[in-house]
Amino acid sequence: MTTTNLRQPEFIGCYDVAGARHFYGATAQEIDRSAFALSRVLRSFDFAPGSNILTISMVPEVIQYGAFERAVQMLGFYGLNADDSPFDAGRVESIVRQFAPVAVCGVAKSTLDGLAMMGHDPAKIFAGRVVWARPDAFDALVALGVAARRVASIGPMLALECASGGLHYDNREWTLEAEDGALILSNRMNRVEPVDRLAVGYQGAIGTHACACGMREQVVKLA
């Protein structure tokens, strides 16, 4: 892990570990670095130029999902957004119906609960799209017949599944280790708020073979 300098954070977000919320600061440069790594994952999909992509997140997730939205912009796609809340599920349905996004990122149990409450069928809403689901919604979407992919906030880092099925993280920016199955995160590049051996609350393993998509970013397998 490298040491930080005396810069001040430009964004304050948070991450959750074992139900406890931790605030975390980052600079625009750090978010841009994360966005560049996420853009490589997005390129593994053959999205047409100018496609719409919907992100479902909340403001405190700016460090993770703000980087994803920045990656969408970097590649020339159009970003749409809705809140990760059952009360905003109607807007998710409306955006999908009106703007036909090729992909939806960040679908959580809260969105699925809200869609059910409003009488919408998630299987129909998400059919034919790339859908990145959070851990609490992945199994439910698969059970509905949706070809879901994984997205996970691992501390302040966002891991995103590529077109070949690998859940990638930026190993240029971060070191992720598995100790007795528990994932431990540290920063590699200089950050305004260093992360030193953070137990992120996930069980899993680090992939030891190159992903079929050809990217150099390592993959993580969540238990």
Side-chain angles (χ1 to χ4, degrees), residues 69-152:
E69 291 182 298
R70 181 77 180 98
V72 168
Q73 296 169 355
M74 283 180 174
L75 296 178
F77 304 128
Y78 293 100
L80 309 164
N81 58 74
D83 288 345
D84 173 22
S85 164
F87 307 106
D88 212 32
R91 186 150 66 106
V92 170
E93 186 277 334
S94 177
I95 288 172
V96 170
R97 174 167 39 83
Q98 295 183 69
F99 296 98
V102 296
V104 182
C105 183
V107 178
K109 183 178 182 298
S110 57
T111 297
L112 298 183
D113 289 346
L115 290 172
M117 179 178 63
M118 297 174 187
H120 299 303
D121 182 359
K124 292 182 179 179
I125 292 170
F126 297 129
R129 313 177 198 282
V130 172
V131 177
W132 287 286
R134 299 174 190 243
D136 67 351
F138 180 82
D139 289 341
L141 280 170
V142 171
L144 290 171
V146 176
R149 300 178 183 274
R150 296 182 188 273
V151 61

Side-chain angles (χ1 to χ4, degrees), residues 24 28 31 33 50 105 146 171 195 206:
Y24 183 77
I31 289 180
R33 292 200 309 251
C105 183
V146 176
N171 56 290
V195 176
I206 310 304

Side-chain angles (χ1 to χ4, degrees), residues 151-207:
V151 61
S153 293
I154 301 178
M157 175 186 75
L158 192 70
L160 189 70
E161 188 172 327
C162 72
S164 298
L167 182 60
H168 289 267
Y169 68 95
D170 184 6
N171 56 290
R172 295 169 177 84
E173 185 81 23
W174 303 100
T175 296
L176 190 61
E177 303 169 274
E179 295 188 359
D180 296 324
L183 296 181
I184 308 295
L185 184 71
S186 300
N187 63 286
R188 295 184 67 186
M189 297 187 70
N190 193 35
R191 298 188 69 88
V192 69
E193 189 169 335
V195 176
D196 186 12
R197 296 188 54 76
L198 171 69
V200 293
Y202 281 101
Q203 297 289 117
I206 310 304

